[in-house]
Amino acid sequence: MPYWVQDIYDHTRMAAVDCDPELFDSLWRPIWVGSPLTPEILARLPNPLAVNPPERGDMPDFVGAGGGANGWILSEKARRLLVSLEPNIHTFIPVNLQVRDSDRGWGGYFLLYVGQAIDAIIIDQTQFQGGFGVEGYKKKPSLSLLRPNIVLNRQKIAGKHLWRGGVGRIGGGGDPFWNKLFCSDELADLFRNNQIYGWLFDKPCRVID
């Protein structure tokens, strides 16, 4: 069964991009919401990219950029495994990582732009922070972390391995799932079996026809 991807819980092992506030609107926000990667946006990407390293241990395979499903930084090993399952879908932009005002750095990382947003959540079968089903969605459409009960459409995710959430809000408005990331059980197993560290797969989703 697929998963709603989460950050790891151990904060001492988490790493995050040290985002320059001046780049929020011109670089990070367009990436987070899935805007097209124009040459103008990519030209603003610093290299090396400032990072806050983990308090202990090595740099993990996934480094958060703080915004949503897009903008994760991943290692070459994680990139290679993802491409082995899902080639020619996602965009990977090479970046070096470096602690601000320090010579401490890491090469061989990539900015991940998830290349597909899929409207797969079955609203009337899913638990939201506002309650269950359509009524809960209308009240507060965020997915429930405390009571995760997410149901996905099997046909829409068939053969897919990594995707952003995507659906228009009932009654109009923006996409409430733009910052949610999902993956197949095949990708989760591949990462687990190869000791890829930085994402947590503990929120399984049910799949129905």
Side-chain angles (χ1 to χ4, degrees), residues 51-71:
V51 66
N52 295 314
E55 295 177 17
R56 63 181 181 87
D58 296 330
M59 185 64 68
D61 293 285
F62 290 98
V63 176
N70 267 331

Side-chain angles (χ1 to χ4, degrees), residues 13-192:
R13 290 287 295 117
M14 295 174 67
V17 173
D18 186 359
C19 293
D20 183 344
E22 294 185 359
L23 294 176
F24 275 2
D25 290 330
S26 62
L27 173 65
W28 292 112
R29 195 181 307 279
I31 290 175
W32 292 336
V33 302
S35 298
L37 287 178
T38 65
E40 291 77 16
I41 290 175
L42 293 177
R44 300 183 186 110
L45 180 65
N47 197 4
L49 186 61
V51 66
N52 295 314
E55 295 177 17
R56 63 181 181 87
D58 296 330
M59 185 64 68
D61 293 285
F62 290 98
V63 176
N70 267 331
W72 281 92
I73 310 297
L74 77 165
S75 68
E76 164 60 20
K77 183 178 180 181
R79 185 201 69 82
R80 191 168 60 247
L81 291 170
L82 173 55
V83 170
S84 72
L85 275 185
E86 201 161 50
N88 305 316
I89 296 296
H90 312 290
T91 300
F92 307 92
I93 299 138
V95 293
N96 298 302
L97 305 179
Q98 187 170 346
V99 177
R100 195 180 298 277
D101 301 322
S102 168
D103 292 333
R104 187 181 179 197
W106 298 262
Y109 278 77
F110 298 81
L111 171 69
L112 169 63
Y113 184 91
V114 179
Q116 51 197 357
I118 302 176
D119 176 8
I121 295 175
I122 299 178
I123 302 296
D124 61 5
Q125 297 291 317
T126 293
Q127 180 72 37
F128 300 95
Q129 291 184 18
F132 184 78
V134 174
E135 291 306 312
Y137 176 90
K138 288 179 177 178
K139 291 177 183 177
K140 192 172 184 180
S142 300
L143 297 175
S144 175
L145 270 172
L146 297 178
R147 299 175 59 194
N149 179 16
I150 303 166
V151 180
L152 304 178
N153 183 303
R154 187 186 311 275
Q155 292 181 337
K156 291 187 176 181
I157 63 171
K160 309 296 184 182
H161 294 288
L162 186 68
W163 66 93
R164 296 177 276 126
V167 65
R169 182 191 293 268
I170 292 177
D175 173 10
F177 308 134
W178 65 271
N179 60 348
K180 302 300 185 286
L181 186 64
F182 299 88
C183 77
S184 66
D185 51 355
E186 293 95 337
L187 181 60
D189 288 344
L190 189 63
F191 282 164
R192 289 189 187 113

